[in-house]
Structures are given as C-alpha cells and as structure tokens.
Amino acid sequence: MANLPISQYEEKIVETVDKNPVVVLIGETGSGKSTQLSQMLRRRGYTKSGVIGVTQPRRVAAVSVARRVAYELGVQLGEEVGYAIRFEDRTSENTRIKYLTDGVLLRESLSNPELNQYSVIILDEAHERSLNTDILLGLMKRLIKIRSSNLKVLVTSATLDGDKVSKFFSDCPILTIPGKLYPVEILYSKERPSNYVESATKTALDIHVKEPEGDILIFATGQDDIEKLVSNLEDKVRAFEEGSCMDAIILPLHGSLPPELQVRVFSPPPPNCRRIIVATNIAETSLTVDGVVYVIDSGYVKQRQYNPSTGMYSLDIVQISKVQANQRAGRAGRTRPGTCYRLYPSRVYHDEFLDVTVPEIQRSSLAGSVLYLKSLNLPDIDILKFDFLDPPSFESLQDALKQLYLIDAIDEDGAITSIGQKMAELPLEPSLSRTLMEANNYGCISQALTVAAMLSAETTLLSVQSSKTEKKRKHNMSNLPDGSGLGDHIQLLQIYECWDQTDYDIGWCKDNNLKVRGMLFVKDVRKQLAQIMQKISKVPLDVQANGTVEEFHRGYRNLRKALCVGYANQLAERKLHHNGYRTLGFKSQVVQVHPSSVLRQDELGKFPDYVVYHELIATPRPCMRNVCAVEMR
Ligand code: ADP
C-alpha cells in the first residue's frame, strides 16, 4: 500500500531500526503503522532471523490487521502471516509475521523468557496504555539488555508522549510520521443532552438529509446503545428514503461482533449510498474506517475500573479525555475536510475532560499480573520496585500480593509457591486457576473446567437480542437448568452438561437463546484448559464433560469445596438482620446478591449462610455477581 503516509519513510525507518535496539514511532491513526511496519521489516530481511511479532491490546485488531496483511502479501492467513489471541491460535511453523494480543506475548514469555523466536517485537497502539502493554514495556527494557545484539523493539503510538517512552528506554530515537489530516470543524452542543442516544440519532439524520456525501461515524458507549442506535436509525432512515435522499447502510462496530460482520466496515459503500457506522471507542485508534467525513462524539466511554480499597469492580460510563476527543474528531479528516459534532459544550471539554486517559494499570486488579511476573522468577525483579512507565499505586500492588497469599500462590515471604507456578500457566484469573488446581485434588476437574470455560466466555453466551437487560436474561434462561438452588456456577455447569448430552447440537443452543458461536467457543476453551491441566498436573485426568446423577444428588459438593479454596478471598456470610451478606476476605463490607443471579431462597425463605462470588461490582449498590452457595453451617 504505497500511498499510506508511512510508506514515504520506509528507508528512514528501517535504517533507524538497523542502528538502534529500541525505536519509538509516532504516527497519526491510519498512517499505516499496524499494517505496514511489519512488511517493511520483512522486506529488510528481519524475518530471516526470526519472527516479527506485533502486539495489539485488542483481540479484534489483532485478527483484523493480520487478515489485512495476509491479503496485501497475497498469502493465506495462518501461513506466513498469522495471529494468536487468547484461546485462538492461527499460526503455523511457517509464520513469520505474527499479530498477537499483548496478553498472549506475556504468556509466551513464561515458557520462553527471552522470547528467542522473535527478531522484532512491535508494541503497537502503546497509547492505549493497556495493562499488558505497560508490563511488556518494563519487560522489554530488561530483555533488550540481554538480547541487545539480536532483538529490535519498536513502540508505536498515535498520541503517546514520545519523550516519556524514549526516556524510559535510555533516550532511544523517536520517529514521527507527519499526519496528513484535513481540517476538521468542531461543533459543540449548547448543553449536554439528557439522552445522548436520541441526540446522536437526530444529529445523524440531520447530516444524512442536509449534508453532502461522506460516511458518518458515531461513538457510542457499548453494545446495548449501539443496538438502540442502529435500530432507531434503521427505522428513521427508511422513512426518509422515499426517493428524496440517498440510501444509507447502518453498520454496528464493537468487540463482540462476529468477525464476518466486523470486516463489513472495510468495504466501501455502493455508489450513492452513505454508511453510518455506530462504534465503541474501538474506532478511535484500533480500527481505521476509511471514508468518514462526519463524526458524532457522545463524549463518553465505558470503562471497567477496580478499586483496591474495596476489591470492587465497576463498569462505569465515564467522560473521555481530551486526547480521546481529539482522536475521535480526527477520524473525520482522513479523506477530506470534515466535521465533528460534539454532543457536549466546549466548557465540558475544557474544564471537565482529563488531558489524557488514565492508564489501565492504575485502574485494574493486579493479582493476575503480579502472579505472572513472580512466575518468571527473574532474580532482578522486585514487584514493588518493577520499572513501570507509570507505576500503579502501592495499595493496589499490596492488594494483589494479599490476594495471592490467601490462595497459596505466594508464601509469607512473597515468593511464588509451586501451586502459584502452575496457576500462572493457566490463562485465567487467579481465583479460577486456583479452583482448577484444587478440583484436581477433589476429583471434580471435569466440572471445574466447564465452570472456568463458561465464565471465560460468559459475555458471548446469550444471543444478541437477549443480552439487553438482566430481567430479559433471566426470562430467556427460564427453560434452562436453574442451578438446583445452588447458584450461578452450578447453573453454568448444568447448561453445558445439557448441551453435552445433545452431542453439542446447534439447534439446542438456538432453542435456548444461547449464541452458537459462544457455546462452541466454550467447548474449545474447555479443551484448551484441559490440555494445560494435563500438562501441569502430570497425571492423566478425567476431563470428560458429562456429570453423573450421583454428583447431582450430592449437590456438587466437591466442586463447591474447590470453589471455596479458589475464591478464598471472595467468600461472604449471610447477615441475619440485613438483607444481604458481609464479605469475609481481607476487606469486610456489606453486599447483596446481584439481581441477575439464579441463587434463591430455599423453601424456608432462607438464603444460604455462606457463598462465594466471582466478582464484586458497584451497580451502584455493591453486588456479588455470579454467586455460588458453599457448605451451610
Ligand atoms: P495505523 O496503525 O497507523 O492506525 P493501519 O495500518 O491500521 O494504520 O491502517 C492503514 C490502512 O489500512 C487504513 O486505511 C485502514 O483502513 C486499512 N486497513 C487496516 N486493516 C484493514 C482490514 N482488515 N481491511 C481493510 N483495510 C484495512
């Protein structure tokens, strides 16, 4: 693709890479960093001495960019060009350009700490500041000292403060690809609308009716709002299409869309047809949609945040940062001058938006990452002093260490235990990997594998239409097993067992409003987890899925015992005088059972005395989501 901005700089880029172990490359979104850099370095011969690995913080981007590069090189995906994301590996021994999520690269470094198979590692989209990319930055700094003669590291970003990264890597060179953005006119709303979905619908229709050709890109917060917008727009656009204005196609774009629907945004529209793309922040920098002239920016993003002082997650709709707002506006100026309609007043932008987005490392639970770093057994790495670009708070590191101690993953000196070492091999949260280790001792590994796989894929299980509200969710699951009064983990297990008994019948999924793709994914994840368990436990395991009637009558006791150990920090005791529970981990607080849970009172109107929960969320009242009864007193 010779006409992308980056192409003119090929000589300069490869020369700088030849001469320096680390290079920072800053270039506007769409300049060709993700698709072209790997190809340039291939032309320069870097695939002769190893694989060029390109990390992406998002699964969708890894898949989409790998497809594109395979297409541009005229090779079959999975051969010379491939991708690897958690639970899905499309690479072969012939793969020389490998797109992978940052999490997968971290995992690879467990079995090969020096990442010897790679000649080049490109940490792409570093501006997203994902937790895993931040950790990789620290590890690369170390690796480059060990492999300085035969490893090249590139850090690329659309917006990142290049000087900061360059300093982090001992003042490495920074290359800047000048952007070719056309001017974008910014129009602000007078007030924040009370309902941005309605306001975005109206703005999009106005543009469609009054403005010249050019695609519209709307930034919404999540799948539910996207579905609402798509359906609103479909109704309204049809009403206008009585001959007067051009056609429109409305395309959703978000991370849980099946790949075949995602790629639709890359095909140009038919003549005289306007595309209205309704996207999450995935279209901010991860995926570049060409042809956009009008951007409608809600000013919001959905963000998962962890509070280490309460151990609680919240999924909040928060205001975007100035950097994000500018990226969104920039999407309108790629092909010609464009317009960005900000659905908020300029004073909100100036006075309320943060300058930059808070890095994920400062709003995540670090238990998994700390376990992973410990499992590398690097003599020179002290977690509390690990070289982070922006360090997490001392409190969240301590929180992670305490959690790991409670589930026997580290000892009182903070050293990783043999259990912890094995847990780190499983691509799961520490509570689930600990449950699997324990289930092995209790002879219920088959059931625990199913629960872990179901929980890993939970968001992709329910059919699109039925995911909208929790109430509807319960309704749609009413024909399915109900967890025998024991809660959500048991229900997830029973659903899978029912499906297993139909010999994985696709019609059964459809009849029960379960997404076929989601269930097939669970089956595959379960198989992969079983393989890892076989490897780390070194004894043959009975991992067949079907449970026995006898286990059912025993109330899945062994499984619940294993869950108790894995979730030792996620236990709660019922409070007699309150309509709720008190958590028993190292942080005690009053919480309730989430309304989506199938856990119910028994015939005596009593909830179980003790439960474990998968996570605590602020909704806004603190709730336990995915709850399972454990032994009664
Ligand atoms: P950057 O990484 O600098 O944001 P990319 O390399 O992702 O830029 O994009 C360069 C160009 O390639 C853009 O015009 C984009 O639309 C196009 N592109 C990227 N992925 C695909 C794909 N899967 N199919 C078609 N076009 C793509």
Side-chain angles (χ1 to χ4, degrees), residues 385-398:
K385 294 189 202 129
F386 184 72
D387 202 350
F388 291 109
L389 189 59
D390 283 308
S393 67
F394 184 69
E395 190 189 11
S396 63
L397 281 171
Q398 257 189 340

Side-chain angles (χ1 to χ4, degrees), residues 496-557:
Y496 189 85
E497 286 180 345
C498 282
W499 186 47
D500 179 71
Q501 277 154 23
T502 68
D503 207 12
Y504 310 114
D505 179 25
I506 284 175
W508 181 90
C509 299
K510 290 185 177 152
D511 291 347
N512 288 289
N513 275 312
L514 294 165
K515 277 196 223 166
V516 175
R517 194 170 62 95
M519 288 303 283
L520 291 170
F521 181 64
V522 174
K523 184 173 171 224
D524 190 39
V525 168
R526 191 180 180 284
K527 187 170 144 209
Q528 293 186 39
L529 292 176
Q531 283 164 350
I532 302 174
M533 281 304 291
Q534 294 275 19
K535 191 179 111 206
I536 57 186
S537 58
K538 298 201 181 91
V539 285
L541 301 176
D542 178 16
V543 295
Q544 291 305 309
N546 30 348
T548 61
V549 176
E550 193 190 322
E551 281 162 5
F552 170 78
H553 286 300
R554 290 204 344 256
Y556 302 97
R557 283 175 65 113

